Amino acid sequence: MPRAYLGLGGNIGDVKANIQEALRMLQANNAVKLIKQSSYYETAPVGFEQQAWFLNIVIEIETELPPYELLELCSKVEHQLKRERLIRWGPRTIDIDILLYEGFESNDPKLIVPHPRMHERAFVIIPLYEIAPNLFIKDQGIREHAISLNNQEIRKLTND
Ligand code: X6L
Ligand code: MG
Ligand code: MG
């Protein structure tokens, strides 16, 4: 079964509860199996900075869904969790992005995979490095990407 990596994040409402609900809804599809889940990370907003910090995680899944059906599922979950698009790059209850999908590359503006900016964003690379430390992105080890993003504010959430 193909593996895929998804990035989840949000900064409106009880974000941890929203992410947990999104995980539950993704797994409610029998063609999706959760393999790994990163820690939760509090991350400074990127792109549009006048908004609250985000909570972000990355997951690894195994899925029988072809890429566009997986995209459809992610959009459906975003919709069910009341995702609204008011400000470009602005606050949201939940965002679910397909970062990587094994054996698949696409430049379709509706589904660009691998995610074209993921290597520039600590909120993607740091959690991804936690669960997939041997990945290569743009011909560079993910560890090297993680090191070069050490200027971006990100804090692993602890339970204490
Ligand atoms: C120049 C211009 C530099 C635009 C960067 C970066 C735009 C990221 C959009 C950019 C630029 C984005 C999250 C976020 C967003 C998130 C955190 C985006 C889309 N999503 N910040 N900003 N976590 N921490 O999930 O990623 S908006
Ligand atoms: Mg995103
Ligand atoms: Mg998105």
Side-chain angles (χ1 to χ4, degrees):
M1 256 207 282
R3 304 254 162 154
Y5 293 92
L6 307 183
L8 293 87
N11 65 349
I12 296 180
D14 186 339
V15 181
K16 195 169 192 182
N18 288 342
I19 291 175
Q20 285 166 343
E21 183 65 6
L23 294 178
R24 198 192 57 72
M25 291 166 71
L26 290 169
Q27 290 173 266
N29 188 306
N30 291 326
V32 174
K33 186 170 154 209
L34 183 63
I35 304 291
K36 282 186 185 158
Q37 177 181 342
S38 77
S39 303
Y40 287 80
Y41 290 84
E42 295 177 319
T43 65
V46 182
F48 173 69
E49 295 175 10
Q50 291 74 26
Q51 61 179 324
W53 277 48
F54 283 72
L55 207 53
N56 285 101
I57 69 164
V58 169
I59 61 172
E60 179 180 329
I61 61 170
E62 245 178 26
T63 186
E64 305 277 16
L65 297 179
Y68 281 90
E69 288 179 34
L70 180 59
L71 178 64
E72 187 78 7
L73 174 62
C74 293
S75 302
K76 191 184 79 177
V77 171
E78 288 180 347
H79 183 77
Q80 287 176 324
L81 289 173
K82 306 273 189 282
R83 168 88 187 260
E84 293 186 307
R85 294 165 189 276
L86 305 174
I87 304 172
R88 188 180 188 208
W89 302 333
R92 68 283 301 270
T93 54
I94 193 78
D95 172 45
I96 310 174
D97 295 329
I98 302 175
L99 304 171
L100 297 164
Y101 188 110
E102 189 182 342
F104 178 78
E105 284 185 30
S106 165
N107 288 313
D108 174 357
K110 294 172 79 76
L111 181 60
I112 308 180
V113 176
H115 196 291
R117 297 259 167 270
M118 60 185 280
H119 62 286
E120 301 170 1
R121 298 171 190 178
F123 67 80
V124 173
I125 292 297
I126 302 295
L128 186 57
Y129 175 60
E130 180 189 344
I131 63 169
N134 297 322
L135 275 183
F136 264 71
I137 295 164
K138 290 167 109 16
D139 299 320
Q140 197 179 13
I142 188 168
R143 180 186 159 79
E144 282 59 55
H145 286 289
I147 289 168
S148 73
L149 294 173
N150 70 354
N151 56 325
Q152 295 182 20
E153 285 189 278
I154 176 164
R155 307 187 192 120
K156 191 179 193 167
L157 204 64
T158 57
N159 295 316
D160 53 39

